[in-house]
Amino acid sequence: MKLAILGGGGVRMPAFVRAVLASRPGMFDEICLFEPAEERRNTICRLAAGIADALGHPGVVTVTPDAAEAFTGADYVFSAIRVGGDRGRVIDEQVALTRGIVGQETTGPGGCAMALRTIPVVLAYCDLLSRCAPDAVLINFTNPAGLITQAISAQAKVRAVGVCDTPGGTVERLGAFLGSAGPGFGEVAASYAGLNHLGWVSSVRVGGDERIGELLARFEELQAFDHRFAAFDPAMVRRVGAIPTEYVYYFYDARRYLDGVAQAGSSRGQDVLRLNNELLAALSKAFGSDGVDAAWSAYDMLLGVRRDTYMHTDMQGDSGQGAARARRAARPEPGLAEARVGGYEGLALRVIDGLSGREPRELIVNTRNGGGTGSAGRLSLPFLRPDDVVEVPALVGPGGLAAQPAAGLPDSGQALVMQVKEYERAVVEAAMTGDAGLAGVALALHPLVPGITAARELIAEYRAAHAEHLAYLS
């Protein structure tokens, strides 16, 4: 079985390759990393290939700057690209922030700009994939994941599913919190629904007993238990009646986010840009003298700091890097063979396990609201269209994906989902037609944007700043 990775030079790919080879040896005959940037091929991709060799799988990881070569013979393709790179993310954030609007990479103006420059590139890759490997399945975690998956679905040239680990990670932490509260911890089941980075957990059952009321009542304790809930107002969450996933924060408390970034003096994108530049420099130095073990040590340290400080600036007004570096330096270094698979990488592998028949299961994914194979025409979210991409539980098996009916979405959440989905539809149409005017209208539909005048000004500024990537809009 061959896995091709679009964005093979992404900073998380060596960790993914190590986890796959350590936890699922022999699952893939070839993992082909497609990366057009030479610097990334010589650092990130080189580390991934070196890890494979060190773990006793020489030749499994291949690297190429040729997309057709990567796609040919592929059974599955992961898409994890960032058009415009880390500097593009900084532009996305800063253009919005200078206007006092949420500047985040996946939602609001930043998410719109990212989608507009990414959709044409992804669709071109999908066209090539449909010719090189027509039976391959594309697993998308290119952000904004739901919106990009919506565009891929609209093009209808490849089979695709979008993945994001936020919902599953939220459910896991809720279960862990309840399990730590006393005896009787059993299997955790939950009800979740929404869009990518805009979803709510409305039910949590442990050992068959409903515990959502307890979670709402003890929300302050939950906030102390896990940082992803810390920024939400407990009274507001109780009124809504469901647990929001972390990205709902930008909708619920935009002012706190803006104040936090101002206090920190830099956005998350600027923090990540500096970390990634440091990581690439560290890898170049390590390969110049000490080899793969030293490269892995530097890589694991800096990637760990990035993970540990996730959303720290946005929620706490400080990057948190100093404390994260100190904690990491005090820990024993993990060995290459340690098999830890988590986050979106773990979810992507579980999707492949299901589709290949290795282990069919229910997973929260981004897929068509119409349900797909075996859905008998049911809509997961009845208030949206059948062809809308939604984030809901789906049965994943050899026959494909069957989205399940999603119950319990709160009224206020439903209203937000309807508005954001209309924005997403318009962004996809603008990107597929190259209509700059429609792009402005689309952005004006987003609840974080204060009207059409601001939206058109934002689009104009993004077009100027991103130049070549948005030149297709007219």
Side-chain angles (χ1 to χ4, degrees):
M1 189 159 61
K2 178 179 178 179
L3 170 66
I5 299 179
L6 277 173
V11 295
R12 290 186 285 192
M13 286 307 148
F16 170 69
V17 167
R18 182 200 56 79
V20 172
L21 295 179
S23 67
R24 288 169 168 83
M27 182 176 187
F28 298 109
D29 301 301
E30 180 182 1
I31 301 173
C32 184
L33 307 179
F34 164 67
E35 177 52 59
E38 183 178 8
E39 181 187 20
R40 295 272 177 152
R41 293 198 303 272
N42 292 336
T43 51
I44 300 292
C45 296
R46 181 179 177 182
L47 176 58
I51 288 169
D53 292 345
L55 292 178
H57 303 281
V60 170
V61 173
T62 61
V63 181
T64 180
D66 186 327
E69 179 184 344
F71 289 158
T72 299
D75 299 282
Y76 298 94
V77 177
F78 288 0
S79 175
I81 65 173
R82 183 178 290 278
V83 178
D86 295 324
R87 293 190 181 278
R89 175 178 180 174
V90 172
I91 291 170
D92 292 345
E93 293 174 348
Q94 293 302 314
V95 167
L97 285 167
T98 56
R99 295 170 179 269
I101 301 172
V102 168
Q104 205 277 330
E105 65 166 333
T106 64
T107 193
C112 181
M114 187 180 191
L116 287 171
R117 67 178 185 276
T118 303
I119 288 172
V121 176
V122 168
L123 295 188
Y125 283 135
C126 288
D127 180 67
L128 179 63
L129 177 61
S130 70
R131 290 181 274 119
C132 293
D135 295 325
V137 177
L138 179 74
I139 300 175
N140 178 62
F141 34 74
T142 292
N143 275 320
L147 217 167
I148 300 302
T149 307
Q150 178 94 32
I152 296 169
S153 178
Q155 186 195 38
K157 289 195 173 183
V158 300
R159 291 191 296 158
V161 55
V163 297
C164 176
D165 62 308
T166 293
T170 301
V171 172
E172 287 177 8
R173 296 306 292 160
L174 293 175
F177 171 76
L178 292 171
S180 70
F185 183 61
E187 183 178 354
V188 177
S191 296
Y192 169 88
L195 305 177
N196 180 235
H197 289 182
L198 186 64
W200 291 260
V201 177
S202 58
S203 171
V204 178
R205 299 170 299 282
V206 180
D209 296 328
E210 179 60 68
R211 306 284 291 275
I212 191 68
E214 179 183 348
L215 288 168
L216 294 171
R218 301 175 60 205
F219 194 74
E220 289 87 350
E221 295 175 59
L222 178 62
Q223 291 180 300
F225 177 78
D226 194 288
H227 71 90
R228 75 190 70 200
F229 308 107
F232 290 105
D233 181 81
M236 185 172 183
V237 172
R238 291 186 185 110
R239 174 62 184 176
V240 170
I243 307 293
T245 52
E246 58 219 47
Y247 285 87
V248 180
Y249 164 66
Y250 300 106
F251 295 86
Y252 279 7
D253 208 346
R255 173 62 183 274
R256 176 171 173 172
Y257 160 78
L258 292 167
D259 289 347
V261 174
Q263 178 180 322
S266 66
S267 67
R268 174 63 173 171
Q270 290 171 316
D271 295 340
V272 168
L273 174 61
R274 286 189 287 267
L275 275 171
N276 286 351
N277 286 341
E278 182 181 354
L279 188 151
L280 291 172
L283 291 185
S284 294
K285 180 180 178 181
F287 280 126
S289 57
D290 301 316
V292 67
D293 288 330
W296 170 259
S297 179
Y299 169 85
D300 188 63
M301 168 70 171
L302 291 169
L303 188 67
V305 169
R306 175 172 168 168
R307 287 171 172 162
D308 293 348
T309 57
Y310 175 67
M311 293 187 79
H312 206 279
T313 294
D314 297 2
M315 291 184 173
Q316 300 185 37
D318 179 85
S319 73
Q321 284 194 30
R325 288 173 186 268
R327 288 193 301 270
R328 287 278 167 178
R331 296 176 186 173
E333 293 184 4
L336 274 175
E338 290 188 13
R340 294 169 294 139
V341 184
Y344 78 97
E345 302 100 329
L347 177 56
L349 288 173
R350 289 192 291 275
V351 169
I352 291 179
D353 286 342
L355 292 175
S356 66
R358 176 173 175 162
E359 190 175 347
R361 67 181 85 189
E362 184 175 283
L363 298 169
I364 298 172
V365 295
N366 288 264
T367 188
R368 290 181 77 253
N369 190 37
T373 307
S375 65
R378 297 173 298 177
L379 297 181
S380 293
L381 299 180
F383 55 89
L384 295 180
R385 301 174 186 174
D387 59 350
D388 286 333
V389 167
V390 296
E391 191 168 70
V392 294
L395 295 177
V396 183
L401 279 75
Q404 301 301 291
L409 189 65
D411 290 346
S412 60
Q414 179 175 321
L416 266 177
V417 165
M418 291 176 70
Q419 186 174 358
V420 171
K421 179 49 68 177
E422 179 60 19
Y423 146 81
E424 291 187 349
R425 295 183 195 117
V427 170
V428 170
E429 183 180 347
M432 296 183 78
T433 60
D435 189 332
L438 179 56
V441 171
L443 184 53
L445 293 170
H446 197 286
L448 292 176
V449 176
I452 186 66
T453 298
R456 291 199 186 282
E457 291 174 351
L458 285 161
I459 292 296
E461 193 166 345
Y462 282 130
R463 291 177 68 194
H466 287 300
E468 60 177 312
H469 298 303
L470 293 181
Y472 76 96
L473 292 173
S474 61

